[in-house]
Amino acid sequence: MAGLKPTGKRPKRRARTSTVADVFRILHTRILTMELPPGHQMSEAEIARDLGVSRQPVRDAVYRLAQLGLLVVRPQSGTHVSTISTAAVERARFLRTAIETETVREAAAKLDAAGLARLSALIDAQQKAVDAGDHAEFHQLDDAFHLEICHAAGRGFSWDRIAEQKAHMDRVRVLTLDVGKARALAEHRTILAALEAGDGALAERSMRAHLAQITALVEVARSTRPDAFGEETPRGHDPSIDKVSAAVSRAT
């Protein structure tokens, strides 16, 4: 067996995966920052030329973005950036609240000194991003803070489900960071204080209040960018979330 020669297939596969990831990251960032605004028509050929790649990784990246609800793919009319759906934002808020109020309560009982130090470092980095007016950096650090709490609770896998549903919420957050990031940072500090005190009930209440702010931010975003909103049903929408939300609403 030691004499077998490498085929070279595995390195090629890794390179292609990396290219798809790079194309996805670039397009994802451009959509979130509104460089590619809602309604913008996407041409796979133009994207491939712009990024200097073949059309296949672009096609794969477009598929992933459609699954996240950021692109709408229609055979007859082509591919375009989706409008922001307030219904999709509400679904994401519901899902995040259901998951993250539980994970933050569990994290309060499990966090050690090292975990608290990581969260504190993220808060410090967020403050620097606020001071520098760096919206993109703050957005990434915001997600990192919530992800770290999921990991601290031993529920890191739950962030994958959140990430699948929060694309529309993310665009509202980006549109309102001018007015929202300082408040978000203050709320993160409140959550961290509850975690440092080991107070699961307070951490849960603080997280619930923090996530509820998206409702007010939607109205802020709609007042400044009404053209960015619509009620399309993107390819990546999971109707099961609607059923769960409706069932909970009827029960309350």
Side-chain angles (χ1 to χ4, degrees):
M1 291 294 183
L4 289 176
K5 295 181 179 180
T7 63
K9 292 181 179 179
R10 188 176 295 275
K12 289 182 180 179
R13 186 174 183 179
R14 283 201 299 268
R16 181 175 177 276
T17 301
S18 177
T19 301
V20 173
D22 290 342
V23 173
F24 172 85
R25 176 182 52 78
I26 292 168
L27 294 179
H28 186 266
T29 299
R30 290 179 179 178
I31 293 171
L32 279 187
T33 59
M34 297 291 176
E35 182 180 341
L36 296 177
H40 178 82
Q41 290 291 325
M42 305 282 285
S43 165
E44 291 180 4
E46 289 180 5
I47 294 169
R49 284 196 299 271
D50 178 44
L51 300 181
V53 298
S54 68
R55 291 186 64 172
Q56 187 58 50
V58 173
R59 189 171 295 115
D60 292 346
V62 164
Y63 175 80
R64 288 177 59 187
L65 290 163
Q67 293 302 303
L68 291 176
L70 290 173
L71 294 179
V72 176
V73 180
R74 293 199 173 103
Q76 302 302 321
S77 57
T79 300
H80 66 270
V81 178
S82 67
T83 51
I84 300 172
S85 163
T86 55
V89 174
E90 170 55 22
R91 286 192 293 271
R93 184 210 61 78
F94 174 85
L95 182 70
R96 291 193 67 171
T97 300
I99 292 174
E100 293 193 63
T101 51
E102 183 65 22
T103 55
V104 78
R105 177 185 282 274
E106 292 185 3
K110 295 179 179 179
L111 269 165
D112 56 14
L116 289 170
R118 286 192 294 272
L119 288 170
S120 182
L122 285 169
I123 292 289
D124 291 342
Q126 287 174 23
Q127 182 65 67
K128 291 179 181 178
V130 169
D131 294 342
D134 191 334
H135 294 354
E137 179 69 6
F138 184 85
H139 179 75
Q140 292 177 2
L141 291 166
D142 187 336
D143 277 355
F145 180 79
H146 287 266
L147 174 59
E148 183 64 34
I149 291 173
C150 290
H151 280 306
R155 309 289 185 181
F157 62 87
S158 65
W159 187 256
D160 293 336
R161 184 57 169 161
I162 290 171
E164 291 170 359
Q165 296 292 328
K166 72 186 186 75
H168 290 263
M169 176 185 276
D170 281 345
R171 285 192 287 176
V172 171
R173 289 165 58 204
V174 169
L175 279 174
T176 57
L177 279 175
D178 274 335
V179 296
K181 62 181 182 294
R183 178 166 186 162
L185 174 56
E187 291 168 353
H188 288 168
R189 291 189 188 280
T190 300
I191 293 168
L192 177 58
L195 291 171
E196 289 173 334
D199 190 334
L202 178 58
E204 179 183 341
R205 290 196 301 272
S206 300
M207 181 65 78
R208 187 181 301 277
H210 173 55
L211 294 173
Q213 288 302 315
I214 192 64
T215 302
L217 293 177
V218 166
E219 296 309 312
V220 173
R222 285 179 72 99
S223 69
T224 57
R225 286 293 304 273
D227 59 301
F229 287 80
E231 293 303 330
E232 296 173 295
T233 302
R235 183 177 180 179
H237 167 53
D238 183 351
S240 66
I241 301 298
D242 293 338
K243 295 178 181 178
V244 174
S245 299
V248 171
S249 297
R250 288 194 298 270
T252 56

